[in-house]
Amino acid sequence: MKLPALAAAAALALCSASSLAGTVGVFDRHQDVGDTAIAGKADFHEGVYTLSASGTNIWGTTDAFHYAYDEVMGDVALSADIAFEGQGVDPHRKAGVMLRQSLDAGSPYLDIMLHGDGLVSLQFRETQGGETHQVVANQTGARSVKLEYRNGYAWMSLAGQDGAVRYVGGGVRLPLSGTYLAGLALSSHNNTVSETAVFSRVELSRPVAMSAPTLLTPVESTLETLEISNKNRTIVWHTTGHIEAPNWSPDGSYLLYNSAGHLFTIPVSGPVNGGTPVKLETGALNKMNNDHGFSPDGKEIVVSDQTEPDNQSRIHILPAAGGTPRLVTPNGPSYWHGWSPDGKTLAYIAQRGGDYDVYSIPVGGGPETRLTTTPGLDDGAEYSADGQWIYFNSVRSGNMKLWRMKSDGSGAEQLTFGDDSRDWFPHPSPDGKWIAFIAFGTDVAVGDHPANKDVELRLMPAAGGEAVVLAWLFGGQGTINVPSWSPDSKKIAFVSYRPKE
């Protein structure tokens, strides 16, 4: 059954099995994809689909599985209840719902896969023959899944303990062109055996169209980590509220983020949702923005708060466990971004005389030192791991690009060039090798870093060079404003967003 490309935003009713060869339930065809040693099967009876398949895996650069599918165009939603039959041979046998550009074994695709051991993830291959990546859900054993594809984004919804299917995160931007395929997939993860899975309550529908987001569009938020070596993402926590700017604790055990003017901590991993967020005690401060972080020794936290009576951001320091803050910068606005590795100096952005520049100040307070004087916006000042450099972003070249200078403000040099992207917030890794940053497109003004945009998380060598994309996502302001590397330099933390319906 074809989904019409210009169908109205209404769910399409499931049809019964037709007499066409290869048809199974709502799907026009079913067949093996890739190298399968044992021929797969698909059956439809009284609303239930039963698939059997061999195949090495749905992963890497090529896939091997059985697929019951239909041709579709535009936005779709595909949902199902999934259950494996028997104990299985391999704990990573996979059954799920899949969108796929073609039947080629190395085709780009998006899916939600339930593994035999209970792991659930949104998998995706961005290019023909490219590597597969995934967003791992923060719950296991979900039997009901829903994959929504809207405006080039895939969104993952799973059934919770109460049985209700809700969005849990994992927004992945991967445009599929023209006609593509939507259906049910199964791989045994061992090509010498055949496994069986049952799919019930299957629905292939046209989702309600999302309006084009604006700066004021309300969003829900997903706190994630990304492993640098393989670009795989893991969901730590999802909330229907708005959160921003995670910092990784120096001991690697928890994340710090801001929401509605307050700070919260949450374990990096846990049995459900990474744990439970805990509000940090910050005394009289209750208008904190997304510029905050830890001292090098992990004993203190620095924050920027829209201090009364003039609501100008000022920098304060308080104990990492929470407590009474002390003021560091009496002048506003001042926005913290870096703490020197020796623990003695803060680097921050301040507006003085109508221009935003990089400043430094002793941790104990005192006179501030202006480090940049070039006209135009400078932002995101952060120290290198050895304290020799301060990295920042600046419009001084005519576009927002990354720069670095010696810690005394001398020797400024440009690090990113090339495309027209607006590059913001360079974050040096603790091992001194890399810079992670966020890149906006040309739809954003040169000196702006708004919310609710298509953005890229990028990685480049610390001394400059070619940057690679770590993730395409919906985000911007709040995604990765402040230092967010894990202490072992293997991961970064960030926030992705989704417009509320």
Side-chain angles (χ1 to χ4, degrees):
M1 183 182 77
K2 301 295 188 296
L3 278 175
L6 300 178
L12 299 179
L14 291 178
C15 67
S16 60
S18 75
S19 59
L20 294 176
T23 303
V24 55
V26 71
F27 303 106
D28 277 358
R29 296 287 183 271
H30 69 92
Q31 68 179 75
D32 285 326
V33 175
D35 181 15
T36 54
I38 303 172
K41 301 176 182 178
D43 178 67
F44 177 73
H45 181 66
E46 295 184 351
V48 175
Y49 298 78
T50 302
L51 270 62
S52 297
S54 59
T56 301
N57 205 354
I58 303 172
W59 193 254
T61 59
T62 57
D63 308 315
F65 64 102
H66 196 72
Y67 195 27
Y69 64 92
D70 198 5
E71 291 185 350
V72 297
M73 292 184 68
D75 295 348
V76 299
L78 181 58
S79 60
D81 292 356
I82 305 171
F84 289 104
E85 286 192 352
Q87 293 298 313
V89 174
D90 193 289
H92 291 293
R93 55 182 174 164
K94 296 177 179 178
V97 294
M98 175 185 285
L99 309 181
R100 194 173 187 91
Q101 188 67 67
S102 75
L103 293 172
D104 187 278
S107 169
Y109 75 90
L110 297 148
D111 67 31
I112 299 176
M113 283 291 147
L114 171 65
H115 296 57
D117 63 0
L119 183 146
V120 184
S121 66
L122 192 162
Q123 301 182 160
F124 58 100
R125 180 182 296 123
E126 297 163 332
T127 59
Q128 178 69 36
E131 288 289 341
T132 292
H133 306 293
Q134 67 179 349
V135 182
V136 177
N138 58 358
Q139 65 184 78
T140 59
R143 299 301 179 183
S144 298
V145 305
K146 183 177 183 180
L147 177 60
E148 294 177 90
Y149 185 68
R150 304 184 188 187
N151 299 328
Y153 280 91
W155 311 100
M156 176 168 56
S157 296
L158 305 175
Q161 293 182 347
D162 62 357
V165 178
R166 301 182 182 89
Y167 175 63
V168 299
V172 171
R173 178 157 56 97
L174 198 167
L176 296 171
S177 60
T179 300
Y180 61 95
L181 310 175
L184 311 176
L186 172 67
S187 176
S188 68
H189 207 278
N190 183 327
N191 208 22
T192 66
V193 300
S194 178
E195 299 281 6
T196 299
V198 176
F199 301 79
S200 57
R201 295 204 302 170
V202 175
E203 184 175 354
L204 177 61
S205 62
R206 180 76 62 192
V208 176
M210 285 184 172
S211 300
T214 69
L215 296 179
L216 299 179
T217 298
V219 296
E220 41 193 311
S221 312
T222 306
L223 181 57
E224 303 185 50
T225 63
L226 182 148
E227 191 168 348
I228 298 299
S229 64
N230 55 28
K231 302 181 184 179
N232 289 331
R233 296 156 54 179
T234 299
I235 296 169
V236 176
W237 189 60
H238 174 76
T239 174
T240 56
H242 185 259
I243 69 174
E244 295 182 308
N247 306 117
W248 213 301
S249 67
D251 68 359
S253 65
Y254 67 94
L255 297 170
L256 174 76
Y257 65 88
N258 65 283
S259 180
H262 298 280
L263 292 181
F264 297 82
T265 63
I266 188 171
V268 174
S269 60
V272 179
N273 294 337
T276 302
V278 176
K279 184 179 176 181
L280 199 69
E281 173 56 47
T282 57
L285 304 185
N286 58 16
K287 294 183 180 179
M288 284 167 285
N289 54 46
N290 53 32
D291 298 322
H292 45 73
F294 289 91
S295 62
D297 62 9
K299 296 180 179 180
E300 295 180 303
I301 291 175
V302 59
V303 301
S304 304
D305 182 83
Q306 310 295 122
T307 310
E308 299 289 357
D310 57 3
N311 292 323
Q312 294 285 349
S313 178
R314 290 176 173 84
I315 299 171
H316 300 73
I317 291 177
L318 61 148
T324 303
R326 63 176 176 84
L327 180 65
V328 180
T329 58
N331 296 325
S334 300
Y335 304 91
W336 176 83
H337 278 278
W339 200 317
S340 64
D342 62 9
K344 297 180 179 180
T345 309
L346 303 180
Y348 57 102
I349 305 303
Q351 185 190 46
R352 307 288 186 260
D355 206 5
Y356 283 94
D357 283 293
V358 179
Y359 286 76
S360 66
I361 195 170
V363 168
E368 62 182 13
T369 300
R370 184 179 180 182
L371 299 179
T372 61
T373 58
T374 303
L377 174 64
D378 297 323
D379 205 343
E382 196 169 324
Y383 286 93
S384 61
D386 60 8
Q388 298 294 311
W389 299 93
I390 292 177
Y391 288 81
F392 63 103
N393 50 281
S394 176
V395 299
R396 62 186 64 188
S397 68
N399 192 6
M400 184 61 78
K401 291 296 178 182
L402 303 188
W403 291 70
R404 71 175 183 177
M405 61 186 174
K406 296 295 181 63
S407 58
D408 63 2
S410 65
E413 57 186 46
Q414 188 173 347
L415 297 179
T416 56
F417 301 88
D419 61 23
D420 292 329
S421 65
R422 319 321 191 184
D423 303 335
W424 282 78
F425 302 133
H427 302 308
S429 59
D431 63 9
K433 295 180 180 179
W434 303 104
I435 301 295
F437 63 100
I438 187 170
F440 293 81
T442 54
D443 60 328
V444 172
V446 168
D448 198 6
H449 57 296
N452 296 351
K453 290 293 183 180
D454 295 336
V455 296
E456 297 176 1
L457 296 184
R458 295 183 179 181
L459 183 76
M460 64 179 293
E466 184 176 357
V468 298
V469 177
L470 296 173
W472 288 270
L473 50 89
F474 185 75
Q477 177 70 275
T479 290
I480 191 169
N481 291 52
V482 287
S484 57
W485 281 92
S486 61
D488 61 8
S489 298
K490 293 182 178 180
K491 298 179 180 180
I492 58 172
F494 63 96
V495 179
S496 61
Y497 300 97
R498 173 172 123 143
K500 289 185 178 179
E501 298 183 28

